[in-house]
Amino acid sequence: MKLVKLLANLGYGSRKEVQRLIRAGAITDDQGNVLDEGDFPPHATIRFRGDPLDPPFPLLLMLHKPDGYTCSADDPGATIFDLLPPRFALRNPLLSPVGRLDKDTTGLLLLTDDGQLLHKIIHPKSACLKVYRADLDRPLDGHEAGWFASGEMLLKSESKPLLPARLEAKGPKQALVTLHEGRYHQVRRMFAAAGNHVLALKRIAIGGLRLPDDLAEGEWRSLTADERAGIFSGSTAATRPLVPEE
Ligand code: URA
């Protein structure tokens, strides 16, 4: 890939703007030698105004999503992209959230520009279960776990039953819910169907990857190689498969 295309795909500007940056000497190698359009040294040695370039494709980030941010760049108001470097919203291929969280849901959100990886994580048959902690308005009445696990639960205005889900009570008004799929407002609608109301919802794990304790709300970082592998392995009691894999 040519230098201009690489920089444009990383969001440093349009091709024309990147050409101007190159001609102005903003792109160097790690020895300070100015690069021109024909040069293409290894990614790790390229500098933009002295700083290392953003990571190349494929990018995989985790964000501790705070309350009040939507997951679509097109939404009005604060979006998760406001929490990331502005260039990340301009990358090609696009950086997308791996399954959306509601505006008022907090917790673990992955973002990637790798479409295949995204589908592998969100597909209902994937081994990657999503674990949510729900704080409830009313005490659990004990019938929810069986109903959620039945594979027969129908949400309002839907004709396809939900895949079996696991509910583990953590207190009278708190539960962990483990899902294979990610339908619109799914956890909130499941509790509404059970006559309850979710006051606060946090995603605490995706597959074997738990939201790290040291990642504060609003913070993001790239995944380590171990964390990336952990998405598809290391199932815990909360993440072991609910439905047989095909
Ligand atoms: N279920 C919901 O109701 N909301 C989310 O954001 C995620 C799962």
Side-chain angles (χ1 to χ4, degrees):
M1 197 195 293
K2 293 271 191 317
L3 190 58
V4 173
K5 194 171 171 203
L6 170 75
L7 292 163
N9 284 351
L10 291 176
Y12 285 87
S14 65
R15 289 192 186 207
K16 279 224 161 75
E17 286 162 347
V18 166
Q19 279 171 330
R20 276 200 289 273
L21 286 170
I22 292 174
R23 284 181 204 136
I27 317 299
T28 63
D29 66 14
D30 52 359
Q31 307 300 310
N33 302 307
V34 170
L35 299 179
D36 72 31
E37 283 181 38
D39 295 325
F40 200 61
H43 193 104
T45 67
I46 306 176
R47 299 287 179 267
F48 169 67
R49 298 194 173 125
D51 291 328
L53 285 192
D54 292 342
F57 173 91
L59 189 62
L60 178 61
L61 310 175
M62 62 167 112
L63 169 72
H64 186 160
K65 182 190 169 300
D67 188 1
Y69 288 77
T70 61
C71 285
S72 167
D74 301 328
D75 282 343
T79 83
I80 51 167
F81 291 97
D82 298 334
L83 301 165
L84 302 171
R87 271 200 300 272
F88 282 11
L90 304 173
R91 285 174 70 108
N92 178 21
L94 266 179
L95 184 66
S96 308
V98 180
R100 293 183 181 183
L101 292 177
D102 298 336
K103 186 174 180 180
D104 49 355
T105 300
T106 61
L108 180 59
L109 183 71
L110 297 177
L111 293 108
T112 187
D113 54 4
D114 181 343
Q116 277 190 339
L117 177 66
L118 186 147
H119 285 291
K120 202 171 157 196
I121 298 172
I122 63 172
H123 197 280
K125 291 284 179 221
S126 105
C128 276
L129 303 185
K130 288 85 190 173
V131 186
Y132 297 87
R133 192 183 64 214
D135 289 300
L136 304 166
D137 193 25
R138 285 183 280 283
L140 293 159
D141 67 13
H143 80 281
E144 299 91 344
W147 197 20
F148 286 11
S150 67
E152 291 171 6
M153 188 170 192
L154 263 186
L155 293 178
K156 236 186 196 166
S157 62
E158 291 191 6
S159 54
K160 199 172 163 220
L162 294 177
L163 291 170
R166 177 180 295 120
L167 178 140
E168 188 190 338
K170 285 289 175 195
K173 294 190 189 177
Q174 192 181 72
L176 293 187
V177 179
T178 303
L179 301 183
H180 266 285
E181 49 194 345
R183 298 200 204 172
Y184 182 65
H185 293 334
Q186 183 167 340
V187 174
R188 295 174 205 275
R189 289 164 75 208
M190 288 168 78
F191 279 108
N196 211 324
H197 176 68
V198 173
L199 296 176
L201 189 63
K202 180 170 193 163
R203 182 155 66 193
I204 59 168
I206 298 176
L209 176 69
R210 293 190 70 87
L211 178 66
D213 290 337
D214 61 357
L215 192 69
E217 280 202 9
E219 283 184 0
W220 65 274
R221 65 170 168 79
S222 292
L223 273 69
T224 64
D226 280 353
E227 285 168 340
R228 190 188 168 101
I231 297 174
F232 298 103
S233 65
S235 55
T236 62
T239 59
R240 68 179 181 269
L242 299 168
V243 290
E245 288 179 41
E246 280 177 339

